[in-house]
Amino acid sequence: MIALGCDHGGYQLKEFIKKHLENKGIECKDYGTYSEESVDYPVYAQKVCEAIQKGECDKGILCCGTGIGISISANKFKGIRCALLRESFSARLTKEHNNANVIALGGRVTGTELAADIVDTWLDAKFAGGRHQNRIDIISSFEK
Ligand code: RB5
């Protein structure tokens, strides 16, 4: 189950990604926002990250204008590893190496077809484990 969240700057891209996932038969929950009216992006990062922390969802996709503010917000939550993505190579590597459980995209930066490829690449990739798990354990130790 994938949690979706956005602010007004990421609303159109979030709607596109929601349809893209639904067309592929991938379940998602939409935590808003639900229009282009101005809102505060940290609130929607919080909704998605708390859904993951509670186990309601196992992954998240966040969109704001640039993807920057919402990714900074998401990375404040324990257990969340959010990658701000601009291209598909990093989408694969952030799963293989960082086991990113959330990705952030910029609705004012990344076009829909590239965003769809980034999402698909991240979802299809597998965490490589091994030395990368050790590095994630070090990151997790910073949360204590
Ligand atoms: C909202 O205007 C904009 O600041 C936000 O969507 C995002 O780009 C912040 O990082």
Side-chain angles (χ1 to χ4, degrees):
M1 179 64 74
I2 301 179
L4 301 177
C6 69
D7 75 351
H8 52 289
Y11 171 73
Q12 293 290 350
L13 185 57
K14 183 264 289 177
E15 289 295 301
F16 173 84
I17 290 169
K18 182 164 66 175
K19 284 195 195 74
H20 177 72
L21 293 173
E22 286 169 355
N23 288 341
K24 289 174 67 109
I26 298 172
E27 282 193 309
C28 52
K29 277 192 199 169
D30 186 351
Y31 290 85
T33 187
Y34 304 111
S35 76
E36 289 184 284
E37 189 181 329
S38 182
V39 292
D40 299 322
Y41 57 79
V43 172
Y44 296 90
Q46 179 179 18
K47 289 175 192 289
V48 163
C49 292
E50 288 182 348
I52 295 169
Q53 288 176 328
K54 288 180 198 154
E56 292 169 13
C57 295
D58 57 326
K59 298 184 183 74
I61 300 174
L62 294 170
C63 303
C64 69
T66 59
I68 298 170
I70 210 157
S71 64
I72 292 171
S73 306
N75 279 312
K76 301 293 181 189
F77 288 82
K78 190 171 182 181
I80 300 298
R81 292 176 301 282
C82 176
L84 170 60
L85 294 174
R86 299 280 191 243
E87 32 71 32
S88 303
F89 176 73
S90 300
R92 177 169 62 81
L93 285 180
T94 201
K95 181 66 189 170
E96 291 181 355
H97 290 193
N98 317 123
N99 203 12
N101 50 4
V102 178
I103 61 169
L105 298 163
R108 296 172 181 154
V109 180
T110 301
T112 52
E113 294 310 312
L114 176 56
D117 192 62
I118 288 170
V119 167
D120 291 347
T121 302
W122 172 62
L123 289 176
D124 289 345
K126 299 274 174 290
F127 178 50
R131 67 187 188 281
H132 302 296
Q133 182 59 57
N134 184 47
R135 292 161 187 168
I136 289 171
D137 291 343
I138 296 171
I139 295 172
S140 300
S141 78
F142 301 156
E143 296 175 337
K144 298 203 176 90

